[in-house]
Amino acid sequence: MGAFIGSFLNVVIHRMPRNESVVHPPSRCYSCGTGVRGYDNIPILSWLLLRGRCRFCQAPFSVRYCIGEALVGLMTAGVVYAVFVMPSYAPPVWLSELGVDPRYSRAAGAAAILIMVWWLWACSMIDYDHTIIPDELTKPWQLVAPALAVLTPINLMLWSPAPWFETHTGMSVLSDPWAGTSSVLWILLPCLAFLALSVPAARWVYGHFCPEEQRWSDEDHRGFAVGVWWFCAVTALQVIALVVLTMVAESAGPRGGVVASALVPYAQALMGSMAGWMSLYVVGLLGTMAFRRNAMGFGDVKFLAPIGAIIGPTGVLYTFFLASVVGAVVGIPVRLLGKGREIPFGPFLALGAVLAVVFGHQIHAFIFGGLAI
Ligand SMILES: [Zn+2]
């Protein structure tokens, strides 16, 4: 099934940046135009049986299609294995409190993680090919990711707000949902105010510190402002949802506990989304001022916010750190060898996120093992 998804993602990766429909027309040979027959459209196998050529005109099909199908198939199997077999995966607490069968909780968690993994793959490959991540693949995801995050506990693996609220506010987030919600609002609302003020500030920064040839056009500035305002609007909606759910949890009496335990991963996701956006955004603005050249990859900013929603604020820091390390290991030799092509950061962010999820626990213990945080 993963390979079939990989086959569909090949179509998305090829067509979406060209502004073509991903469902119509059906796949065809780019050389002779003959439609690909259903029996020739079986992932991996068809490519191998036809030895990577069109059945009719013998034009070669890139081996990348076959590798993409195989990799997505392997990643899908890996996620399903990790969620259903590995003992370290525990379904979200609120689903078990609701009395949902653990098998369904695991299936929901696996689905949420898979959607994110498939999305990371498509964004990375498009970024690799075109050094751009389409808005269609980032803006809606800023809205969807926190909802997906509530279905999977991977965002809680490094740092959970529940004990933090209890040790820092003396209140339990489960018995008093406002203890957690108001703490989150104290962080998110100033961030939103900062973002609103940063739109004119960014215009000034790019006007003053960018060399002439890197200056943004008016259209670039509009796209930038729309991107920032979109994220602010999405986050504001999610904050309102958080407040409403907190009121529900409070008024539902003893049964409100379930809502409150679902609020913990939801609040975590909103903080992660903001951390993902802010980290690259602030680094981009400060870097532009410090180095007097355009240091903002705005596509990466829009991309890291949904990643942060899934893996949480601490996960974002590790993602950023790991992406930079891997990016330097790969990027510096490529630069030194003089292969002048601009290296996109998106694939490294995706890889960093996967590494953070798989090895984050060990890295976290290694760095903070001796400290009581
Ligand atoms: Zn052909």
Side-chain angles (χ1 to χ4, degrees), residues 29 31-34 54 56-59:
C29 168
S31 180
C32 68
T34 315
C54 169
F56 301 98
C57 74
Q58 305 297 310

Side-chain angles (χ1 to χ4, degrees), residues 55-368:
R55 182 184 285 277
F56 301 98
C57 74
Q58 305 297 310
F61 291 158
S62 168
V63 69
R64 243 188 73 175
Y65 293 113
C66 181
I67 294 174
E69 289 160 355
L71 275 179
V72 175
L74 282 173
M75 289 190 292
T76 305
V79 169
V80 171
Y81 178 83
V83 169
F84 281 92
V85 182
M86 279 167 65
S88 55
Y89 185 95
V93 177
W94 67 278
L95 282 174
S96 28
E97 282 175 7
L98 265 182
V100 176
D101 186 318
R103 285 172 304 173
Y104 294 136
S105 302
R106 282 176 194 273
I113 298 173
L114 283 175
I115 289 170
M116 290 303 288
V117 166
W118 296 333
W119 170 77
L120 284 174
W121 171 257
C123 292
S124 300
M125 287 298 104
I126 293 174
D127 200 17
Y128 177 79
D129 285 342
H130 303 273
T131 30
I132 188 175
I133 303 173
D135 275 356
E136 296 95 313
L137 284 180
T138 52
K139 285 180 176 172
W141 244 261
Q142 294 165 7
L143 192 62
V144 170
L148 289 176
V150 179
L151 293 174
T152 158
I154 60 172
N155 57 342
L156 296 181
M157 61 176 290
L158 298 180
W159 177 80
S160 158
W164 189 87
F165 290 141
E166 291 183 33
T167 48
H168 288 77
T169 63
M171 287 180 280
S172 165
V173 66
L174 297 182
S175 61
D176 178 12
W178 284 112
T181 299
S182 57
S183 311
V184 170
L185 294 185
W186 274 110
I187 296 168
L188 288 184
L189 295 181
C191 286
L192 282 176
F194 167 82
L195 284 178
L197 293 173
S198 73
V199 173
R203 204 180 176 93
W204 178 79
V205 166
Y206 287 103
H208 270 72
F209 295 97
C210 275
E212 201 68 54
E213 68 276 7
Q214 288 185 343
R215 290 263 163 86
W216 284 3
S217 65
D218 279 347
E219 199 188 335
D220 291 338
H221 276 292
R222 258 197 304 281
F224 175 80
V226 168
V228 175
W229 285 118
W230 169 270
F231 180 71
C232 286
V234 162
T235 308
L237 273 179
Q238 289 160 341
V239 164
I240 292 169
L242 178 69
V243 169
V244 169
L245 286 170
T246 306
M247 288 155 78
V248 169
E250 203 180 36
S251 62
R255 284 177 304 133
V258 175
V259 184
S261 24
L263 282 180
V264 174
Y266 185 63
Q268 168 98 347
L270 299 193
M271 305 254 281
S273 171
M274 185 57 83
W277 179 285
M278 281 297 208
S279 50
L280 281 178
Y281 187 80
V282 173
V283 165
L285 282 179
L286 294 180
T288 302
M289 291 166 79
F291 302 116
R292 295 191 164 266
R293 54 190 297 270
N294 189 350
M296 169 91 75
F298 193 49
D300 298 329
V301 174
K302 291 180 274 189
F303 182 49
L304 191 54
I307 294 178
I310 291 288
I311 61 178
T314 324
V316 162
L317 294 181
Y318 286 109
T319 298
F320 192 37
F321 169 70
L322 292 166
S324 307
V325 170
V326 179
V329 168
V330 175
I332 291 174
V334 172
R335 278 282 167 92
L336 289 181
L337 290 171
K339 298 238 172 88
R341 192 166 110 75
E342 194 189 339
I343 305 162
F345 196 43
F348 293 110
L349 284 174
L351 187 62
V354 172
L355 291 175
V357 168
V358 178
F359 299 110
H361 236 17
Q362 285 98 312
I363 300 170
H364 195 67
F366 179 74
I367 299 177
F368 294 107

